[in-house]
mmCIF file of all heavy atoms in Angstrom:
data_model
loop_
_atom_site.group_PDB
_atom_site.id
_atom_site.type_symbol
_atom_site.label_atom_id
_atom_site.label_comp_id
_atom_site.label_asym_id
_atom_site.label_seq_id
_atom_site.Cartn_x
_atom_site.Cartn_y
_atom_site.Cartn_z
ATOM 1 N N HIS A 70 105.571 -56.979 2.276
ATOM 2 C CA HIS A 70 106.790 -56.296 1.645
ATOM 3 C C HIS A 70 107.153 -56.782 0.343
ATOM 4 O O HIS A 70 107.983 -56.182 -0.334
ATOM 5 C CB HIS A 70 107.950 -56.422 2.704
ATOM 6 C CG HIS A 70 108.911 -57.645 2.528
ATOM 7 N ND1 HIS A 70 108.490 -58.810 2.700
ATOM 8 C CD2 HIS A 70 110.092 -57.665 1.997
ATOM 9 C CE1 HIS A 70 109.522 -59.655 2.580
ATOM 10 N NE2 HIS A 70 110.512 -58.960 2.084
ATOM 11 N N ALA A 278 132.854 -52.552 10.065
ATOM 12 C CA ALA A 278 134.108 -52.679 9.299
ATOM 13 C C ALA A 278 134.976 -51.486 9.627
ATOM 14 O O ALA A 278 134.510 -50.381 9.818
ATOM 15 C CB ALA A 278 133.833 -52.927 7.824
ATOM 16 N N ASN A 345 100.863 -34.450 -9.630
ATOM 17 C CA ASN A 345 99.489 -34.459 -9.738
ATOM 18 C C ASN A 345 98.995 -35.804 -8.871
ATOM 19 O O ASN A 345 99.161 -36.792 -9.324
ATOM 20 C CB ASN A 345 98.972 -34.719 -11.177
ATOM 21 C CG ASN A 345 97.461 -34.900 -11.235
ATOM 22 O OD1 ASN A 345 96.738 -34.693 -10.274
ATOM 23 N ND2 ASN A 345 97.040 -35.082 -12.502
ATOM 24 N N ASP A 382 111.792 -84.943 10.482
ATOM 25 C CA ASP A 382 112.365 -83.925 11.319
ATOM 26 C C ASP A 382 113.248 -82.949 10.476
ATOM 27 O O ASP A 382 113.841 -82.028 11.034
ATOM 28 C CB ASP A 382 113.221 -84.601 12.356
ATOM 29 C CG ASP A 382 112.434 -85.263 13.446
ATOM 30 O OD1 ASP A 382 111.204 -84.942 13.517
ATOM 31 O OD2 ASP A 382 113.007 -86.194 14.123
ATOM 32 N N SER A 438 132.786 -62.592 -7.356
ATOM 33 C CA SER A 438 131.434 -62.274 -6.760
ATOM 34 C C SER A 438 130.589 -63.636 -6.569
ATOM 35 O O SER A 438 129.780 -63.746 -5.765
ATOM 36 C CB SER A 438 130.704 -61.183 -7.467
ATOM 37 O OG SER A 438 130.342 -61.685 -8.855
ATOM 38 N N ASP A 464 129.187 -74.519 -10.443
ATOM 39 C CA ASP A 464 129.893 -74.119 -9.162
ATOM 40 C C ASP A 464 128.975 -74.251 -7.937
ATOM 41 O O ASP A 464 129.467 -74.628 -6.825
ATOM 42 C CB ASP A 464 130.421 -72.737 -9.289
ATOM 43 C CG ASP A 464 131.627 -72.631 -10.192
ATOM 44 O OD1 ASP A 464 132.135 -73.736 -10.616
ATOM 45 O OD2 ASP A 464 132.110 -71.421 -10.520
#
Side-chain angles (χ1 to χ4, degrees):
Chain A
H70 91 291
N345 178 8
D382 292 336
S438 63
D464 285 356

